[in-house]
Amino acid sequence: MLEATIIRNGYVVDPESAKIEKKEVGILEGKFIDPSIIKGKVGYVNYIDAKESYVAPGFIDIHTHVFKDYTYLGIAADEIGINQGVTTIVDAGSTGIEHYEVFKRKIMNTSKTEVLAFLNISKKGLCNGGAELANLEDLMDMAEAEKIFETEASILGLKARMSSSVVKDTGIKPLIHARKLSDALNVPIMVHIGNPPPLIEEILPMLKKGDIVTHAFHGKQKNRIITSNQTLLPAAIDCLNRGVLFDVGHGSASFSFKTLAVYKKKYQYPFSISSDLHIKNYNEPVGSLMQTMSKIRGLGYSLLEVVQAVTSLPAKTLQLNEQGTFAYGTRADVTLFYEKEKSARLIDSEGDALMVEKVIEPYLTIREGRKVFESNAGTIQNGN
Ligand SMILES: [Zn+2]
């Protein structure tokens, strides 16, 4: 018998048509379909009551660390994935080529959340501590990179953590190597920025369309995208104009309300929202992808914008054709969530506080048409 589902009674947030409207979402055999087709042709339909929650394509978090037990910071993928309304997570460089098979077997293949990866350009990834680019001998070579990218569809690109504690004395050299690999393989680089060396003025000009700058809105003294006269660095503007994506990558030390507030005043370039969640920032300051979205909502971005920042925008940048969309025939990953009227004091990585009056919370998570997580938010919502 065909497996058909209709999600009804929800406010559908469609990141592509940029509309929020009350309507139904149809799913047949794990793929989106026009609900009227199901009603006419399929005998039994399983109805999911959205209970007036928002209904969006499954959320994507493009910067996480889920190599649990093999790195010092790994967290369980489902803990920050489906249990928090996130259907696809991308591990950002926890694994290099040396441990990829283990990562695939232990994490990707055992999680209910879809787990994809940016492969660290260091062969060791984060399995040998956090200074993985201090020795140039540890860089993945071209032949091994070609081989693994040819066979592993779950690897989306390369990760290069370009800050002083990671590169030590090698400076910009690891990124020069990453650029060569990226150009030969035609895959993007996610670059992390932080304290120099290398300088942000050395890093940004090396990036091309489709590459991603994570920790883009950090608040460190040096290497910020914002200059002392509160405008974007010329190198950052050039980057955005070339089609490089800026990404939040909140993390323990890499998201500042002040930096984003300055950016928001003058610039409209969209950016993706990711958490950089791992075991050490899970409780605070990050919490979850939705909490990160609540912070950005609190700075004045619209609900549609923060949903696009975790669905259509990262999906398009990373050429994920099955994710971030309600297009008929694509995989039915769905995130149901509430935006609750609730006062909360949220903090960024600098310890600055923001009072918000609304918070985004997960209700139901659906993967390939099936419910994989339900919180009690729907019951509470109905009861008040
Ligand atoms: Zn990270």
Side-chain angles (χ1 to χ4, degrees), residues 63 65 159 215 276:
H63 186 161
H65 293 281
K159 177 79 188 285
H215 306 322
D276 190 16

Side-chain angles (χ1 to χ4, degrees), residues 264-283:
K264 185 178 183 300
K265 260 190 208 159
K266 296 197 179 108
Y267 305 98
Q268 272 86 49
Y269 302 96
F271 54 87
S272 55
I273 300 175
S274 68
S275 65
D276 190 16
L277 270 166
H278 54 66
I279 200 76
K280 294 171 195 255
N281 61 32
Y282 175 62
N283 290 321

Side-chain angles (χ1 to χ4, degrees), residues 24-96:
E24 295 178 338
V25 172
I27 300 168
L28 184 67
E29 299 291 282
K31 309 263 187 201
F32 291 120
I33 189 172
D34 181 343
S36 65
I37 295 176
I38 301 181
K39 286 180 189 166
K41 296 203 178 129
V42 180
Y44 176 79
V45 179
N46 164 41
Y47 284 93
I48 292 178
D49 184 356
K51 297 188 177 174
E52 310 222 302
S53 64
Y54 289 107
V55 181
F59 288 178
I60 306 164
D61 189 342
I62 64 169
H63 186 161
T64 66
H65 293 281
V66 295
F67 203 178
K68 193 170 178 279
D69 301 331
Y70 290 82
T71 55
Y72 60 96
L73 42 56
I75 189 167
D78 290 339
E79 204 51 40
I80 60 167
I82 55 164
N83 294 359
Q84 296 186 337
V86 179
T87 53
T88 296
I89 59 179
V90 185
D91 184 283
S94 299
T95 182

